[in-house]
């Protein structure tokens, strides 16, 4: 047997991820279909159900300018365009952004248990939002209130603090980052608890933020969040090479031509930006950013160039689906749905994986 | 190919390397030996541009190494890293493909030429039967070969190895050494290896550089470097214990 055919034979017999070359395209196609179905279902279903045919008709007429004669009531059109469309699109963008950020954090920290919130973004955003509820000032800029603003600033501020505090000399080793993230998160959580204790009637509002949701989505907020999330995600995707290098650790990455210190700082900043924009408009929704990259890695392997876009697609579909489920269950918080679906699913994944995770 | 001139490296005020001057020509095969703490790995880190000396200069393929960016260094010099842990399930093929990172298109990734280089490295190291396996499930010896294949796929004119045989049984040690010798002989890859095993170094390397307490105490062919008096003085053991394969 020639060496080349030996390789092919080994590849055919290797089982789990045999068809590496063709798999990503198939996964992308499935992901796109899944997302399209989720989007249409997400727009059609709700307290006022609009038949999928009408939904597609309305979308075709209003978004693509197709000449479709309305078979639906004018109210249906208003519901679709002004309420449901910004809502499902926000869920899509937030889900995709959290999945990309999660994949980036997992790769950067070389830790499969990392999620977009691991370095303090969640607790920073939560504290910011809680403070916004306590401050009796109502401002609105571009549909953004104090709560969105302080949640965004809190998320970014927390990561910046973690990054600065974790530095040892000129370096910022990964374990030190993780532990500092934990410490800073605990401190911020204490602040959050205090704010909740003092909040009185505002408690319900803080709580709603902590559990996350898309019921308050608007076109204006969607536009700003989408811009930030898409730009940050593209920036991360362009640095897939650096993430791949870090698979083998910082030193090996350096030998493979990655300027580890610079790339890590840039990737951290971009992933945190995407996360902050997501939590500012939707609150804290867990598990999507953790699970989506995992599922994709099991299917196509760890190559960030494939993992990032495919995880974005899956995260977007999952989030639209979770929002739909939350709505059908009577407007329960989306964070509850993602945790209730995500956690058992994640456990099942861990059991299925042949080798345990080394940390 | 590699030129060190008066290199001194400090580790917390202590000199890890003192005034090292060393020249390695293209196509040479050099082993760096010495007792623990002699500065062997430090010297490798300087050669690979990971550590910047407080005094002296390092040239790599005609350029000052501190004026080259990481990508430029990675195209000139490949390092077989010490066994790292992998955070995610990663096939052998995917690990070997990491060797193409310095060459692949920054946006599009691997191109046909890169894939050919990966296939050639896999063939060269004889990993065809392991290609689709999760690298984390392999034995230490197999993993060492995978990392070697990754460095081969990098196709750099200089290959640096840090204790490449440390986890290996005798058969794998010889396998790795013969492979390295073959890369040197057939592809004219310049080889610089830190080796613990003096006997292995003497058998497979025509030139040894002996370090002790951060200085080069001998540099030349094995028979000359490993003179009985010097072994007694540097390693503090009976010279009869060191078998000279050469």
């Amino acid at each position: 047997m020639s060496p080349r055919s030996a390789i092919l034979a080994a590849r055919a017999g290797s089982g789990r991820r045999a068809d590496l070359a063709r798999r990503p395209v198939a996964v992308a196609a499935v992901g796109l279909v899944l997302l399209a179905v989720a989007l249409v279902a997400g727009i059609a279903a709700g307290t006022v159900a609009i038949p999928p045919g009408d939904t597609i008709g309305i979308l075709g007429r209003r978004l693509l300018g197709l000449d479709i004669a309305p078979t639906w009531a004018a109210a249906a059109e208003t519901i679709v365009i002004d309420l449901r469309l910004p809502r499902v699109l926000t869920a899509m963008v937030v889900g995709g952004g959290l999945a990309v950020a999660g994949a980036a954090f997992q790769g950067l920290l070389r830790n499969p248990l990392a999620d977009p919130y691991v370095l303090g973004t969640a607790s920073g955003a939560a504290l910011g939002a809680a403070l916004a509820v306590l401050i009796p000032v109502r401002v609105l800029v571009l549909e953004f209130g104090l709560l969105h603003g302080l949640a965004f600033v809190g998320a970014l501020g927390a990561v910046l603090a973690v990054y600065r505090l974790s530095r040892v000399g000129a370096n910022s080793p990964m374990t030190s980052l993780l532990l500092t993230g934990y410490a800073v998160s605990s401190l911020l959580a204490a602040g959050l608890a205090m704010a909740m204790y003092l909040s009185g009637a505002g408690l319900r509002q803080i709580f709603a933020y902590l559990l996350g949701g898309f019921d308050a989505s608007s076109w204006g907020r969607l536009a700003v969040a989408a811009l930030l999330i898409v730009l940050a995600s593209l920036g991360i995707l362009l640095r897939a090479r650096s993430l791949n290098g870090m698979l083998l650790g910082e030193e090996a990455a350096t030998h493979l031509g990655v300027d580890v210190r610079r790339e890590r700082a840039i990737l951290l900043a971009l992933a945190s930006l995407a996360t902050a924009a997501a939590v500012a408009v939707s609150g804290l929704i867990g598990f999507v950013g953790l699970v989506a990259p995992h599922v994709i890695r099991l299917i196509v392997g760890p190559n960030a160039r494939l993992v990032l876009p495919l995880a974005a697609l899956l995260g977007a579909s999952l989030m639209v689906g979770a929002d739909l489920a939350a709505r059908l269950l009577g407007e329960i918080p989306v964070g509850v749905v993602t945790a209730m679906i995500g956690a058992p699913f994640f456990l099942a994944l861990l059991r299925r994986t042949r080798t345990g995770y080394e940390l | 190919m590699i030129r060190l001139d008066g290199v001194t490296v400090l580790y917390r005020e202590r000199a890890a390397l003192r005034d090292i001057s060393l020249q390695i020509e293209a196509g040479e095969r050099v082993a760096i030996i010495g007792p623990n703490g002699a500065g062997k790995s430090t010297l490798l880190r300087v050669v690979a541009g990971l550590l910047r000396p407080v005094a002296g200069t390092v040239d790599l393929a005609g350029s000052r190494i501190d004026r080259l960016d990481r990508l430029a260094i990675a195209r000139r010099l490949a390092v077989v890293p010490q066994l790292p842990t992998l955070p995610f399930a990663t096939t052998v093929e995917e690990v070997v493909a990491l060797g193409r990172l310095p060459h692949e298109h920054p946006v599009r990734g691997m191109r046909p030429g890169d894939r050919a280089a990966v296939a050639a490295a896999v063939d060269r190291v004889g990993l065809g039967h392991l290609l689709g396996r999760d690298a984390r499930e392999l034995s230490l010896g197999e993993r060492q070969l995978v990392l070697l294949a990754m460095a081969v796929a990098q196709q750099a004119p200089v290959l640096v190895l840090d204790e490449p045989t440390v986890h290996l049984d005798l058969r794998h040690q010889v396998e790795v050494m013969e492979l390295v010798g073959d890369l040197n002989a057939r592809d004219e890859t310049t080889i610089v290896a830190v080796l613990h095993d003096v006997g292995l170094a003497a058998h497979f390397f025509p030139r040894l550089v002996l370090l002790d307490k951060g200085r080069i105490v001998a540099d030349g062919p094995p028979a000359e470097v490993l003179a009985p008096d010097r072994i007694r003085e540097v390693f503090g053991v009976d010279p009869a214990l060191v078998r000279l394969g050469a």
Side-chain angles (χ1 to χ4, degrees):
Chain A
M1 196 174 352
S2 77
R4 187 65 204 159
S5 58
I7 293 173
L8 293 175
R11 191 178 291 173
S14 68
R16 192 155 57 122
R17 295 209 312 258
D19 234 350
L20 276 173
R22 254 173 299 154
R23 228 11 126 72
V25 181
V27 178
V30 172
L32 281 172
V33 171
L34 207 65
L35 180 61
V37 171
L39 284 174
V40 172
I43 296 168
T47 28
V48 178
I50 297 161
D54 285 358
T55 306
I56 293 172
I58 294 170
L59 293 178
R61 204 171 102 93
R62 291 289 296 266
L63 300 184
L64 305 176
L66 299 178
D67 189 18
I68 302 170
T71 56
W72 51 83
E77 199 159 320
T78 308
I79 289 174
V80 167
I81 299 299
D82 293 340
L83 295 175
R84 299 230 177 115
L85 199 52
R87 179 171 180 157
V88 293
L89 290 181
T90 304
M92 176 183 94
V93 166
V94 165
L98 287 177
V100 169
F105 276 118
Q106 286 168 5
L108 271 177
L109 298 165
R110 306 185 70 240
N111 191 324
L113 296 178
D115 72 357
Y117 304 147
V118 70
L119 292 185
T121 41
S123 38
L127 182 59
L131 291 178
V133 171
L134 289 185
I135 298 170
V137 178
R138 291 286 160 261
V139 284
L140 211 60
V141 184
L142 283 172
E143 300 182 15
F144 282 85
L146 198 58
L147 187 139
H148 308 111
L150 284 189
F152 184 77
V153 171
L156 283 185
V159 179
L160 193 64
V162 168
Y163 185 69
R164 286 289 178 83
L165 287 171
S166 69
R167 273 208 258 186
V168 181
N171 290 317
S172 185
M174 285 175 297
T175 37
S176 154
L177 257 178
L178 265 175
L179 293 173
T180 313
Y182 181 72
V184 169
S185 291
S186 306
L187 195 67
L188 293 170
L192 173 66
M194 195 63 208
M196 288 171 81
Y197 180 71
L198 295 174
S199 61
L203 186 61
R204 199 185 155 78
Q205 209 189 333
I206 297 177
F207 218 67
Y209 178 80
L210 292 182
L211 292 170
F214 298 99
D215 45 323
S217 301
S218 78
W219 280 110
R221 286 199 288 273
L222 169 62
V224 176
L227 185 71
L228 289 177
I229 288 173
V230 168
L231 285 181
S233 300
L234 282 179
I236 292 171
L237 186 59
L238 287 177
R239 308 198 108 69
R241 171 157 71 187
S242 306
L243 278 175
N244 283 340
M246 287 175 201
L247 264 178
L248 290 174
E250 293 179 45
E251 191 158 320
T254 309
H255 293 316
L256 291 170
V258 178
D259 185 339
V260 170
R261 240 168 71 192
R262 190 192 68 195
E263 291 301 302
R264 199 176 41 193
I266 295 173
L267 280 164
L268 264 182
L270 290 171
S272 304
L273 183 65
T275 309
V279 297
V281 294
S282 69
L284 303 182
I285 303 170
F287 278 100
V288 171
L290 176 70
V291 170
H294 265 288
V295 174
I296 296 299
R297 267 196 214 96
L298 282 180
I299 303 172
V300 301
N303 182 357
R305 207 166 259 118
L306 303 174
V307 170
L308 291 168
L310 293 175
L313 215 48
L314 180 63
S317 316
L318 282 179
M319 197 63 103
V320 174
D323 178 48
L324 177 62
R327 221 180 318 154
L328 293 179
L329 293 170
E331 286 292 353
I332 65 169
V334 178
V336 173
V337 176
T338 57
M340 271 167 42
I341 301 171
F345 187 62
F346 190 61
L347 281 173
L349 270 186
L350 286 179
R351 293 178 67 88
R352 226 195 58 126
T353 319
R354 276 185 305 178
T355 42
Y357 284 105
E358 302 170 39
L359 293 182
Chain B
M1 186 54 94
I2 298 170
R3 210 183 124 109
L4 281 73
D5 228 340
V7 166
T8 297
V9 172
L10 295 181
Y11 254 151
R12 298 204 176 98
E13 322 236 319
R14 197 176 61 85
L17 293 177
R18 299 167 209 232
D19 195 22
I20 299 273
S21 292
L22 178 66
Q23 183 144 2
I24 297 171
E25 303 297 338
E28 268 201 282
R29 180 159 31 126
V30 182
I32 298 164
I33 57 171
N36 288 337
K40 305 187 293 288
S41 293
T42 308
L43 181 59
L44 270 202
R45 291 166 70 84
V46 169
V47 167
L50 275 185
L51 269 182
R52 196 169 281 191
V54 288
T57 58
V58 182
D59 284 8
L60 174 62
S63 311
R64 286 272 301 266
I65 202 163
D66 48 1
R67 297 199 185 129
L68 295 171
D69 63 17
R70 288 309 326 176
L71 215 51
I73 295 174
R75 285 178 187 150
R76 290 169 168 80
L77 177 140
V79 178
V80 179
Q82 294 238 345
L83 290 176
T85 56
L86 282 163
F88 314 112
T90 309
T91 64
V92 167
E93 190 176 23
E94 285 160 350
V95 176
V96 177
L98 292 177
R100 298 307 296 170
L101 287 185
H103 303 281
E104 67 177 32
H105 190 276
V107 179
R108 278 158 45 213
M110 293 226 290
R111 287 167 286 193
D114 297 305
R115 281 182 235 289
V118 170
V122 165
D123 269 1
R124 192 71 181 269
V125 182
L127 291 176
H129 60 297
L130 296 176
L131 220 48
R133 290 267 301 277
D134 185 347
R136 302 182 305 176
E137 295 172 349
L138 305 179
S139 71
L140 290 175
E142 290 168 331
R143 272 193 263 174
Q144 189 68 57
L145 290 176
V146 171
L147 292 174
L148 186 59
M150 180 187 91
V152 170
Q154 210 169 323
Q155 294 181 333
V158 181
L159 181 63
V160 170
L161 304 100
D162 190 2
E163 303 276 13
T165 58
V166 74
H167 296 289
L168 307 185
D169 59 28
L170 212 53
R171 187 174 68 86
H172 281 103
Q173 286 185 14
V174 171
E175 215 174 296
V176 167
M177 284 297 119
E178 281 177 346
L179 201 66
V180 166
D182 184 55
L183 284 170
N184 176 247
R186 273 210 286 156
D187 304 5
E188 292 168 10
T189 308
T190 309
I191 309 277
V192 186
V194 159
L195 284 177
H196 226 75
D197 189 325
V198 175
L200 213 57
H203 187 85
F204 286 100
F205 284 79
R207 178 180 169 193
L208 305 186
V209 172
L210 176 61
L211 284 183
D212 189 28
K213 301 185 185 80
R215 289 181 200 279
I216 294 178
V217 291
D219 180 355
E224 197 182 302
V225 170
L226 296 173
D229 284 351
R230 200 173 278 128
I231 290 177
R232 193 174 292 118
E233 190 189 313
V234 173
F235 290 94
V237 295
D238 181 353
L241 289 173
V242 177
R243 54 199 160 79
L244 285 183

